[in-house]
Amino acid sequence: MQTLEELARAGEGRDLFEAVLEDDCRERGATREDSLSRMGALLEAMRRAQAGYDPTLRSGSGMAGGDGARMRRYARERGGVCGPFVGEVIAQAIEMGESNACMKRIVAAPTAGSCGVLPAVLLPYQRREGLRDEDVVRALYVAGAIGQAIATQASISGAEGGCQAEIGSASAMAAGALCYLGGGDAQAVCHAAAIALKSLLGLVCDPVAGLVEVPCVKRNAAGAMIAMMSADMALAGIRSAVPPDEVVLAMRDVGERMDASLRETGLAGTAGTPFGICMRERIQGGKATP
Amino acid sequence: MNLFDILGPVMVGPSSSHTAGAVRIGLAARALLGRGTPRRAHIALCGSFAATGRGHGTPRALIAGLLGMEPDDERIPDSPRLAREAGMDVSFGEEPLRGEHPNTARLHVEAADGETLDMTASSLGGGRIEVVEMNGLSVLFSGELPTLIVQNRDQPGCVSDVTGILAGEEVNIATMRLYRDHPGGSAVMVLEIDKPVAGEGLARLRAIEGVFSVTYLDARRAL
Ligand code: SF4
């Protein structure tokens, strides 16, 4: 599906997931069973990646690792400002981002840098609500369709559109998925996505030393939080004043206006701070051995 | 982009372009050499691969691909050690880009029997790659569809022999491109096909007069 408008219309009077599944089968010439088992495998891979977090690992640069465990311990022992559920979401988002930085196996959703957002909202929510895997797989279809509409009209690449295109898109996808699981109709799902994307509009891609570590890991937690907030707003009946596809096009416009130094080149933003420059020199200054 | 370009691939981090794509580049070189694990490999990193590759594990990912690992193989970080165990000697260098995509690697690989391959490939993002140079010839293929790469001497009849055998195998050709350096010189045929060619069909292709090598490439697995 090319636009959120199309997605909203496709879901009128029927389960939105069914519409997306049909669309996928048509597009790839796949059978229903093929498609469902492939999506099921992705959910399983996400769960395994989550379970495989190793708190002792550090990335090659030394900048990423261990914070997920720190967050989890804090949330468990002290409850935290946001309470135990949100604490768990934050911990999972950070853990997945760290696993990615430490060369563990993850599921790009939509990119490797933003791989923590979707599982961090879906897996804890599934557990809390006692949902079946089947339901979460359906929500993944909804998330994927939102990502498709964004990729078609704008971009899901930080090099092209800044971090709003990566963490922003991941957050929009997660918001729509949560809204769907919370019983929202297709309209609400698209507005949840738009509210999330709008909240992250303008976010630049500024990885320190060009590595998917700082600020990427923590931005996964930010994307997850905004997804939950946006889903709740949409489920409460709040609508994005700007029509959803216009938000997507605004994201594209902002991405096009963004200076190249803020699109994954590792030159400005946090990458251009004295800390960022120092890290870049340390990492890129060495000799080329694996 | 289809639904599974958005969700997935399942891959070892941290970067789909610098890690997953790099594994696929290594895999493509291994397949095109067609002799299992090479004995020796020299890899020149270009552009962003040279600038930020090490932090993204790009060298380890390239080695892993040469060893036959897929992008989701959790042994990728350990590939330099595994290469030593497998008796593969790997060296790295850096070279400037020659107008290619910023994420590019040039590989020179050598099989135990002395057969060599030179290949330049770029990582386009999302784990997708394209091979842009092969043994000195400019080519262009991604391996996203099942792809046959036929290296041959540029001589009349070769193309029709190849398409004739494929027709006999009931394999439909989606696209076909020909590359050659000069008339009568070396040539490469790149055919994207709708379904894999069976082992017997490959053997018949290899037996064609003037054909040096036939490689079947399928860079995109189910997940
Ligand atoms: S800062 Fe750039 S590399 Fe990091 S997650 Fe955002 S888009 Fe990806």
Side-chain angles (χ1 to χ4, degrees):
Chain A
M1 259 161 287
Q2 316 273 308
T3 64
L4 292 174
E5 179 63 40
E6 256 178 65
L7 184 64
R9 246 184 291 118
E12 262 167 34
R14 66 190 293 213
D15 191 327
L16 183 55
F17 140 78
E18 284 289 348
V20 181
L21 173 62
E22 253 172 42
D23 194 58
D24 177 52
C25 292
R26 197 173 329 115
E27 189 173 10
R28 295 188 305 113
T31 65
R32 205 184 147 85
E33 290 66 37
D34 279 349
S35 180
L36 280 167
S37 84
R38 199 163 163 190
M39 195 62 91
L42 286 181
L43 174 60
E44 195 43 46
M46 281 179 184
R47 189 169 288 131
R48 250 194 254 133
Q50 183 54 51
Y53 174 68
D54 178 348
T56 67
L57 283 185
R58 296 294 176 272
S59 65
S61 74
M63 287 189 293
D67 282 344
R70 203 167 278 133
M71 183 67 211
R72 180 176 298 280
R73 203 176 323 114
Y74 159 79
R76 204 164 271 164
E77 286 167 10
R78 315 231 323 252
V81 177
C82 300
F85 177 72
V86 174
E88 173 71 20
V89 170
I90 299 171
Q92 288 205 16
I94 296 175
E95 286 173 353
M96 197 68 91
E98 290 181 333
S99 289
N100 180 55
C102 297
M103 297 190 80
K104 298 277 285 178
R105 191 196 281 142
I106 55 90
V107 181
T111 61
S114 59
C115 67
V117 177
L118 206 47
V121 299
L122 289 182
L123 300 179
Y125 187 73
Q126 175 184 22
R127 172 120 56 92
R128 193 186 74 186
E129 301 295 311
L131 300 174
R132 301 166 305 171
D133 275 1
E134 221 180 291
D135 301 318
V136 185
V137 164
R138 292 173 170 219
L140 285 178
Y141 276 88
V142 172
I146 292 166
Q148 258 184 312
I150 297 174
T152 309
Q153 300 182 87
S155 166
I156 53 164
S157 141
E160 254 167 38
C163 200
Q164 53 166 5
E166 286 202 13
I167 294 288
S169 300
S171 187
M173 290 159 61
L178 275 179
C179 180
Y180 171 81
L181 287 175
D185 63 13
Q187 278 292 344
V189 163
C190 292
H191 279 265
I195 293 169
L197 195 59
K198 229 168 28 172
S199 307
L200 288 161
L201 210 64
L203 192 65
V204 299
C205 172
D206 53 350
V208 168
L211 305 178
V212 194
E213 300 183 9
V214 177
C216 317
V217 170
K218 297 185 186 82
R219 278 194 189 152
N220 277 278
M225 296 286 289
I226 286 180
M228 291 190 293
M229 168 204 91
S230 307
D232 267 340
M233 281 196 213
L235 286 166
I238 299 173
R239 293 294 173 258
S240 168
V242 182
D245 283 312
E246 292 183 25
V247 172
V248 175
L249 292 172
M251 191 270 266
R252 176 194 171 134
D253 181 54
V254 171
E256 283 170 357
R257 289 166 191 272
M258 216 177 258
D259 192 73
S261 62
L262 296 167
R263 283 186 282 116
E264 213 179 271
T265 46
L267 295 174
T270 58
T273 58
F275 167 80
I277 293 167
C278 173
M279 280 310 288
R280 182 170 77 227
E281 278 165 6
R282 229 175 71 197
I283 289 161
Q284 296 179 9
K287 61 179 179 43
T289 48
Chain B
M1 283 205 223
N2 73 48
L3 209 57
F4 294 96
D5 291 324
I6 305 289
L7 295 174
V10 179
M11 54 168 274
V12 163
S15 159
S16 60
S17 55
H18 286 64
T19 321
V23 176
R24 289 218 167 109
I25 289 175
L27 271 174
R30 177 190 171 96
L32 291 170
L33 182 64
R35 302 279 199 285
T37 298
R39 176 175 67 183
R40 202 167 287 138
H42 179 76
I43 304 173
L45 304 173
C46 315
S48 162
F49 266 13
T52 63
R54 273 178 309 136
H56 285 125
T58 304
R60 284 183 275 176
L62 287 160
I63 295 172
L66 288 172
L67 290 170
M69 294 179 205
E70 297 283 347
D72 68 344
D73 197 311
E74 293 206 289
R75 298 169 303 166
I76 291 170
D78 204 21
S79 67
R81 188 181 63 78
L82 296 169
R84 276 193 298 280
E85 280 178 18
M88 180 170 77
D89 185 26
V90 192
S91 57
F92 283 91
E94 287 181 17
E95 277 179 24
L97 288 167
R98 296 184 208 133
E100 300 101 339
H101 185 279
N103 299 324
T104 293
R106 283 187 239 289
L107 296 89
H108 174 83
V109 289
E110 193 182 310
D113 65 1
E115 183 72 29
T116 64
L117 168 83
D118 287 290
M119 183 190 100
T120 304
S122 305
S123 173
L124 308 177
R128 289 170 301 124
I129 65 160
E130 67 188 15
V131 177
V132 296
E133 183 264 341
M134 213 179 129
N135 292 333
L137 285 180
S138 295
V139 296
L140 189 65
F141 57 88
S142 68
E144 270 175 47
L145 291 175
T147 306
L148 266 185
I149 293 110
V150 180
Q151 298 191 70
N152 60 298
R153 195 174 331 113
D154 181 37
Q155 64 185 39
C158 228
V159 172
S160 66
D161 286 351
V162 168
T163 54
I165 289 173
L166 290 178
E169 298 282 322
E170 296 189 342
V171 172
N172 198 25
I173 300 173
T175 69
M176 172 167 187
R177 272 163 295 174
L178 308 172
Y179 307 91
R180 66 170 190 192
D181 48 5
H182 56 84
S186 53
V188 174
M189 271 179 245
V190 177
L191 300 101
E192 289 179 331
I193 51 186
D194 287 350
K195 64 173 194 190
V197 186
E200 205 178 296
L202 287 179
R204 288 176 58 206
L205 289 168
R206 291 195 176 103
I208 297 173
E209 150 84 19
V211 165
F212 311 133
S213 82
V214 177
T215 308
Y216 176 64
L217 205 62
D218 193 357
R220 174 155 290 201
R221 284 187 321 153
L223 266 179

